[in-house]
Every structure is written in structure tokens, then in C-alpha cells.
Amino acid sequence: MALKTAKEYLDSMKKLVPRVYIGGKWVKNLLDHPVTRSMVMANSMMYALAEDPAHKEVMVATSHLTGEPINRNLNVARNIHDLDMRQEMALLTSQTVGTCNYRCVGCDALNSLAATTWEMDRDLKTKYNETFNKWLAYAQANDLAVSGGITDAKGDRKKRPSQQDDIDTFLHLVEKRPDGIVVRGIKVSQSGAIGSHETLVLPGGALREGEEAFALAFAVQNSAPGLTYICQYNAYSAEREMFGDDEAELGNPIYGQRETSTMVFDNVFIPWERVFHCGETKYSGRIVTRFAKAHRMNCGGACKVGFADLIIGGTMLAAEYIGVEKVAHIQEKIVDMVRFSETSHACAIAAAMRGREEPKGSGVYLPDDLFGNAAKLNIAHGFYEIIKNAGDIGGGLVVCMPRQKDLEDPEVGPMLKKAFAAAAPADKRMKVAKFLQHWSAGLHGPGTWHGAGAPQTQRFMFTVLTDFDAKKKMAKKLMGMKD
Ligand SMILES: Cc1cc2nc3c(=O)[nH]c(=O)nc-3n(C[C@H](O)[C@H](O)[C@H](O)COP(=O)(O)OP(=O)(O)OC[C@H]3O[C@@H](n4cnc5c(N)ncnc54)[C@H](O)[C@@H]3O)c2cc1C
């Protein structure tokens, strides 16, 4: 069985017993708490989309290990078409759930590991690629939801991992045993790890000689002894706790916000069959860079474009509901929203089309780095413009609205209906205002800014990847300047 149904995924979640803490409570069953349930429901849709014949080309791939159909979230890209379908998957899933495909980071992590374990085995005569492929075949056969753990807590950003006052701010090796390793430390902002069967853990950044303890990549099973997930908690979490899944009161009623947790590893044992990198510092940076190559194309140039499609749709409805949809400056703002999102998508498509085998001989295809970074940097800035325009066209109602339920109150309901009816009745206007509030007055701005790396890292990559000398030479040649 290489493809699970959404129901099978949901059933598998009922059997998990992760140590999950959210807003002052320990959660026994992920489906019982309204916030953790929203995360699990979004993941279930990743299975449902793969069941739908209309989305088969995007959501289903063929395993290069077994030849079986697999969910694309577990696929290693073997050609340009795979890369293109990967970014299309990010677009489709965002358009469908309006939150994370929580299998996305894991997918990009496994592509990086496929490439780099192959390279380590070639250079160092290790057996990491064989170990990784065995784990991947198992993950594919059971259609596991896999999240990706890269971001360490990091402590004082001026200091190297081993110089931190508390070394646990970086995930590190505690002990090597004959049967496996023991690890300790903290990974933060982990999208959907609570509702994933496994998390692929990678190093948080490039490492130097002497930093071998931090050079780790492995797969950890959900509910492994010693592992605790402390969920994010904010005004939107409180709102969801207050309203449950009440469609009337929530901006994204079923799938909610992007849910992350802090993953605390307290001497967690990882058997060697799940360890893919242990101590080879020279390769840690490559694992991270290859992950980032894939992730910036997908997270920046496709996932957020799917969000933008939803925001643009909602904003157009808001304009129609107050009768300004034909006004010139409104149309101009809508066009700007499309410009920001489609140029990012164009960068993702270009990153896929210019993708190449890396390393040569590995059979693994990764997107073009420059275009992937352009996709992410462009949307980081563009997204704020998009939500600015949504707030502009949505009007003050986006943040000043009362509860939707108040429309039914015998006393204030008639007043509200009078106040907010325009070219459409008050309930429609308020519904759309709540939707735009969810996008423009909440967590999505900083979420888009930082997800797949703070923009300064993409700016840095531009300085590394751009051949500035070639550009100077071109200019000099045209001017007739001799050196
Ligand atoms: C919604 C969301 C989902 C996420 N999901 C995941 C996930 O599933 N898995 C995962 O591993 N991570 C995930 N992340 C984490 C994401 O990759 C990080 O937020 C991002 O890399 C930035 O790291 P940080 O949050 O620690 O910010 P910081 O690194 O603290 O950055 C804050 C500021 O300090 C600057 N800065 C930091 N260090 C330095 C330095 N050494 N020199 C100069 N400037 C510096 C940055 O440029 C930035 O301006 C997610 C983040 C978000 C917001």
C-alpha cells in the first residue's frame, strides 16, 4: 500500500501519543483539541488530494526505488518535470487549505538528503545513502507524513554552537552507542511536526571542523521517548479554542493558521538505521544549502502564491460587496497583487526549468539556486504589499468588525445589518472581512517573511551566486573600455 487515504491518515493519528503541550494544557489526542485538529485536518487533505484523479499528475509520483505510485511529498526529484510538479503541488495545496502543506519541509529535506548521502558515500565510503534509501522506501510504502526540522533555537546569534552558554540551543550528539545515537537540543518553529509520523532532522547551518557534535541528520519517530512538542500559542489559538470549528467566526474555519511547535529533544535515542549524517562537518552546509534550494522555490515561489490567490479572491469579493470593483485605483491595486504573486511564481517555474542533477551522477535534481532565492525574496516583500492592498480594499471592517453571530442577536442584529449592508448583505461583507483579517491582520506577514529563511540569507545568496565581474566586463566592452 503506497498511497494512504485521508481516512487512513486520520486513523493513524488517533494511535499516536506525542507529548504535546499547548496554551497551558497537555493534549492527549490531537483530534480533540481545536488547534491541533486544524493542523491534522490540513495534513489529511494532502492525502485526499492524492486520491483525487483531477490532481493525480501533481500529487502522485513514481518511486525511483520501487516503481510504485507514491505521494509526491515523498518523492525524490529525478528530472525537470518532477521539479515542476513539486512547485505546482505547493501552489495547489496552499490554494486548497490556505495553510501549510505540513509535509512540504520534509519533502525538501529528503531531496537534500538523497543528494548529500549519495555524495558522502562516494567521497567517504560511508553507507548513508543505502541507509537513507531503506528508510525512504519504508516511508513511501507506508505513505508517512514527514515534517522537516532544521531551525535550531540558536541562542546568541554572534556565537558558534559550541560557544553558547547553553549548548542545548543547538541539537547535538550526546552519545554514540553500538545500536544508535543519543541526541539532545531544541528545534524551533516546526511546522506540523505534532501531526507527522516522522520528522527528518537536518543540521541548522554550515559547520566547521571541531563542531562534529552538531553535524547530524536523522529521522525521528513521532512520540519517541524524550521528545516534547510545545505548540505556538497566540490570539488566533485562543480564538479557535473559544469558537471550536465554528465556520461563522473563523477566518479559515477548518484548516486554521500555520501551526508550529518547539521540539525539545531530551536525550532521544535514534537507531543507526535512521541516522544519515553524523560528524562529517564538511557536508553539513551542503545538506542545508540543498534543502534551501528546494524549499525557497516551493515555499517562496509557489506556496505563498497559492495564499495570494486566496487573498486576491477575497479582496475582489470585498470590493464587489461595497460596489467599488470597477473603480480605477481598486483595479490597479488588484493588478499589483497579481504582479507580486505571479512574478514569484514565474521565479519558481524558472527555478524548476533550470534545475539540474546535483551532484552529477546522483540522479537527484535540484532547482536553480538564483531563481529559487529570487522567488523567496520577491514574495517576502510582495506578500506585505498584497496584504496591504487587501487591508486597503477591505476597509476598516477588516479589523473593526463585531462577531458574525451578533447579526443574529435580536437587539443588536438589526442595527448591524443596517450598518454593514452595502452592495451585498451584511453577513457576506462580514464573512469576507473575517477572511481578510485572518490573512492581513494576523500571523501571515512575518510567517511569509521568515519561512524558508530570513530574507537577509537570500540577499547574501545573491551576492554569492551573481557573477558581478561578468556584468562589469559586459558594460566595459560596450563602452569600449580597455582594462
Ligand atoms: C510560519 C513558520 C513556519 C516555519 N516552519 C519551519 C519548519 O517546518 N522547520 C524548520 O526547521 N523551520 C521552520 N521555520 C523557521 C524558519 O526557517 C526561521 O524562522 C528562519 O530561518 C529565521 O530564523 P529565526 O526565526 O531563528 O530568526 P533569527 O535567525 O533570529 O532572525 C531574526 C533576525 O536576525 C537576523 N540574524 C540572525 N542571525 C544573524 C547573524 N548571525 N548575522 C546577522 N543577522 C542575523 C536575521 O536576518 C533576522 O533579521 C518556520 C518559520 C515560520 C515563521
Side-chain angles (χ1 to χ4, degrees):
M1 191 263 319
L3 284 171
K4 261 195 179 79
T5 63
K7 183 179 178 308
E8 285 167 337
Y9 164 73
L10 288 172
D11 288 345
S12 75
M13 284 298 107
K14 288 177 199 151
K15 292 181 198 135
L16 290 183
V17 281
R19 234 171 95 75
V20 173
Y21 181 89
I22 181 164
K25 299 178 193 106
W26 291 97
V27 178
K28 290 228 161 54
N29 182 336
L30 295 173
L31 285 156
D32 283 349
H33 191 286
V35 178
T36 56
R37 179 167 62 243
S38 69
M39 183 266 123
V40 173
M41 291 315 291
N43 239 14
S44 77
M45 187 46 86
M46 303 309 127
Y47 291 86
L49 283 172
E51 288 176 69
D52 184 343
H55 300 306
K56 192 168 171 230
E57 188 174 7
V58 172
M59 293 302 299
V60 180
T62 303
S63 168
H64 73 288
L65 298 172
T66 63
E68 290 284 310
I70 51 166
N71 191 298
R72 189 170 296 282
N73 284 295
L74 293 171
N75 187 48
V76 174
R78 310 289 290 178
N79 50 49
I80 300 281
H81 181 70
D82 276 346
L83 290 175
D84 191 27
M85 289 302 103
R86 170 66 183 94
Q87 65 81 25
E88 283 298 316
M89 174 171 74
L91 181 72
L92 171 69
T93 55
S94 285
Q95 289 169 336
T96 309
V97 293
T99 183
C100 284
N101 160 15
Y102 293 105
R103 302 173 76 179
C104 165
V105 183
C107 177
D108 295 336
L110 69 86
N111 274 270
S112 169
L113 283 175
T116 316
T117 53
W118 183 90
E119 190 179 40
M120 283 191 286
D121 286 6
R122 181 195 65 188
D123 298 352
L124 309 173
K125 309 293 170 237
T126 49
K127 294 260 188 257
Y128 288 129
N129 192 240
E130 196 181 310
T131 309
F132 174 74
N133 282 341
K134 266 191 204 151
W135 172 82
L136 183 61
Y138 157 79
Q140 290 176 344
N142 293 283
D143 203 358
L144 299 184
V146 178
S147 66
I150 297 93
T151 313
D152 290 292
K154 296 195 293 241
D156 183 339
R157 271 62 172 163
K158 286 190 300 297
K159 295 181 180 169
R160 300 292 306 168
S162 54
Q163 295 168 337
Q164 298 293 335
D165 291 343
D166 185 347
I167 199 179
D168 288 348
T169 47
F170 283 82
L171 192 95
H172 61 276
L173 182 74
V174 174
E175 191 187 349
K176 268 190 198 178
R177 292 186 191 163
D179 50 349
I181 59 174
V182 177
V183 299
R184 190 176 174 80
I186 304 171
K187 294 278 185 188
V188 297
S189 308
Q190 297 301 300
S191 296
I194 53 169
S196 303
H197 302 105
E198 306 221 2
T199 298
L200 266 182
V201 174
L202 307 185
L207 295 167
R208 302 171 184 164
E209 237 175 87
E211 297 177 333
E212 286 74 15
F214 307 96
L216 292 171
F218 56 83
V220 62
Q221 284 177 305
N222 187 301
S223 318
L227 188 55
T228 302
Y229 307 82
I230 306 166
C231 295
Q232 67 180 47
Y233 198 84
N234 48 59
Y236 283 92
S237 325
E239 182 186 55
R240 185 164 285 272
E241 277 207 281
M242 191 159 75
F243 292 121
D245 292 332
D246 189 337
E247 289 217 3
E249 301 299 343
L250 297 165
N252 188 0
I254 301 172
Y255 308 113
Q257 289 286 341
R258 300 173 63 190
E259 295 299 336
T260 70
S261 63
T262 300
M263 274 175 94
V264 182
F265 292 74
D266 183 8
N267 291 353
V268 176
F269 175 72
I270 312 289
W272 282 116
E273 301 82 68
R274 292 169 170 277
V275 178
F276 315 125
H277 172 59
C278 186
E280 304 80 5
T281 47
K282 186 177 156 192
Y283 296 84
S284 307
R286 295 183 201 182
I287 293 178
V288 182
T289 310
R290 287 175 180 147
F291 161 75
K293 265 186 198 183
H295 203 49
R296 288 184 187 150
M297 169 180 83
N298 298 315
C299 178
C303 161
K304 302 307 172 302
V305 176
F307 289 173
D309 288 338
L310 295 167
I311 301 168
I312 293 166
T315 306
M316 292 183 79
L317 291 174
E320 283 168 30
Y321 292 170
I322 57 166
V324 296
E325 75 275 19
K326 296 217 163 69
V327 174
H329 81 92
I330 300 288
Q331 290 186 339
E332 203 175 304
K333 282 168 183 153
I334 299 278
V335 167
D336 276 344
M337 293 163 92
V338 175
R339 174 166 64 89
F340 287 120
S341 80
E342 294 303 339
T343 47
S344 297
H345 193 204
C347 292
I349 296 168
M353 293 301 151
R354 292 277 171 93
R356 47 200 169 264
E357 190 186 28
E358 181 185 334
K360 274 257 169 282
S362 66
V364 181
Y365 270 63
L366 293 169
D368 179 83
D369 214 2
L370 189 66
F371 286 124
N373 276 285
K376 165 71 217 295
L377 189 58
N378 195 51
I379 203 69
H381 290 274
F383 199 81
Y384 274 110
E385 292 296 321
I386 289 167
I387 60 180
K388 181 187 84 184
N389 287 358
D392 174 85
I393 296 170
L397 187 65
V398 169
V399 288
C400 301
M401 62 183 286
R403 287 190 322 170
Q404 188 92 1
K405 268 206 177 68
D406 295 337
L407 285 170
E408 291 151 31
D409 185 88
E411 213 169 328
V412 302
M415 299 180 206
L416 293 176
K417 282 181 187 155
K418 191 199 282 279
F420 297 126
D427 63 329
K428 278 189 158 182
R429 277 196 70 205
M430 284 172 67
K431 182 81 191 153
V432 116
K434 187 70 197 177
F435 185 69
L436 295 181
Q437 182 185 92
H438 162 88
W439 290 107
S440 66
L443 314 175
H444 280 287
T448 296
W449 190 256
H450 281 295
Q456 195 54 33
T457 53
Q458 291 110 59
R459 288 178 189 280
F460 171 72
M461 289 310 290
F462 274 15
T463 65
V464 173
L465 297 167
T466 306
D467 189 346
F468 290 107
D469 281 340
K471 292 184 195 302
K472 283 195 275 182
K473 263 192 203 139
M474 280 175 222
K476 278 183 173 175
K477 192 174 170 200
L478 197 62
M479 289 185 277
M481 268 170 77
K482 301 211 164 43
D483 262 342

